[in-house]
Amino acid sequence: MDVIEVLPRLRMLRFPVGAAYLWRDDDGLTLIDTGTADCAAKIEEALDGELRRIVLTHWHEDHTGSAAELAARHGAEVVAHRLEAPVIRGEAVGVPPVLEEFEVPIRAALPPLPPAPPCRVDREVEDGDVLGFGGGAVVVAVPGHTDGSIALHLPGPGVLFTGDAVANVGRTMLGVFNTDRARAVDSLHRLAELEVDTAVFGHGDPISHGAAAALQGAAASAA
């Protein structure tokens, strides 16, 4: 795992597949996504305060894999969209993506991932809800990758956690492996309208400054 300081209060935890993010407030830490099921110990090495909450942007196993273990060990509140919660709890099966032609070889080249153990969800959120970190983190519903995918916007510091709605691998672009591409494109356009300076992604390099222009360019090129 690589630890990258994006901002003084924001660190990226980069894994072989995907990433998680730690936001530090004076009263504790918020973890956004948790990597695969073998990442808990590595994440704990990066903790430098009390882990108060875990926010899951969607149910995929490279985002929720270590959530149950970390929540149990640290007593952290687990937050997810109400449509993702049943899958995260193990009560429902998630809808698989509808692959575009160019995505088929990308998907085939990925290593198999361990399944995510079921995890409790303490708070189910909707679009517009506000979470108590980063000066007020606004939940932004971004359906398309999954039905209940969320991004998190911190208006004060101008930070956006995109989850898998957007990727930044070589260039800023629509995320891949969506269940509904049209809805995913609409979600990308919505994110591009936000006032953002820093953006971090489920996959790809963070943009520390000037992220709004990159998001707007990705939205303009998406169809």
Side-chain angles (χ1 to χ4, degrees):
M1 180 185 76
D2 296 323
V3 180
I4 299 166
E5 184 171 294
V6 182
L7 297 172
R9 290 186 178 273
L10 175 61
R11 284 181 289 170
M12 176 186 189
L13 311 181
R14 192 197 300 270
F15 307 116
V17 177
Y21 296 91
L22 275 172
W23 179 271
R24 179 173 52 80
D25 286 306
D26 293 343
D27 63 348
L29 303 172
T30 296
L31 177 66
I32 295 89
D33 291 329
T34 66
T36 54
D38 53 358
C39 292
K42 298 173 185 177
I43 290 171
E44 287 177 325
E45 292 176 2
L47 300 180
D48 58 357
E50 179 187 0
L51 182 60
R52 297 179 61 85
R53 72 180 57 79
I54 298 168
V55 185
L56 302 173
T57 61
H58 61 291
W59 65 263
H60 287 164
E61 57 266 62
D62 55 328
H63 294 257
T64 64
S66 292
E69 185 173 352
L70 290 168
R73 286 183 183 174
H74 296 272
E77 176 188 46
V78 180
V79 181
H81 191 278
R82 66 173 181 83
L83 296 179
E84 305 292 282
V87 184
I88 294 168
R89 293 186 181 116
E91 300 164 354
V93 177
V95 177
V98 178
L99 298 181
E100 301 290 315
E101 184 175 351
F102 79 91
E103 294 175 337
V104 174
I106 299 173
R107 181 82 169 195
L110 292 176
L113 300 178
C119 179
R120 60 179 166 82
V121 175
D122 303 302
R123 180 176 176 183
E124 299 182 17
V125 294
E126 301 268 8
D127 183 60
D129 287 349
V130 178
L131 304 178
F133 74 95
V138 181
V139 174
V140 184
V142 285
H145 186 63
T146 65
D147 286 348
S149 286
I150 59 172
L152 300 167
H153 181 217
L154 280 56
V159 174
L160 179 67
F161 301 85
T162 72
D164 279 1
V166 192
N168 192 45
V169 182
R171 60 184 176 88
T172 309
M173 58 188 176
L174 180 72
V176 297
F177 307 153
N178 300 302
T179 58
D180 188 324
R181 182 180 176 83
R183 295 182 80 196
V185 169
D186 288 344
S187 292
L188 171 56
H189 279 271
R190 185 181 184 196
L191 294 180
E193 295 173 353
L194 299 174
E195 293 187 8
V196 174
D197 187 41
T198 300
V200 293
F201 310 90
H203 301 274
D205 296 326
I207 301 176
S208 296
H209 300 289
L215 292 167
Q216 291 160 9
S221 64

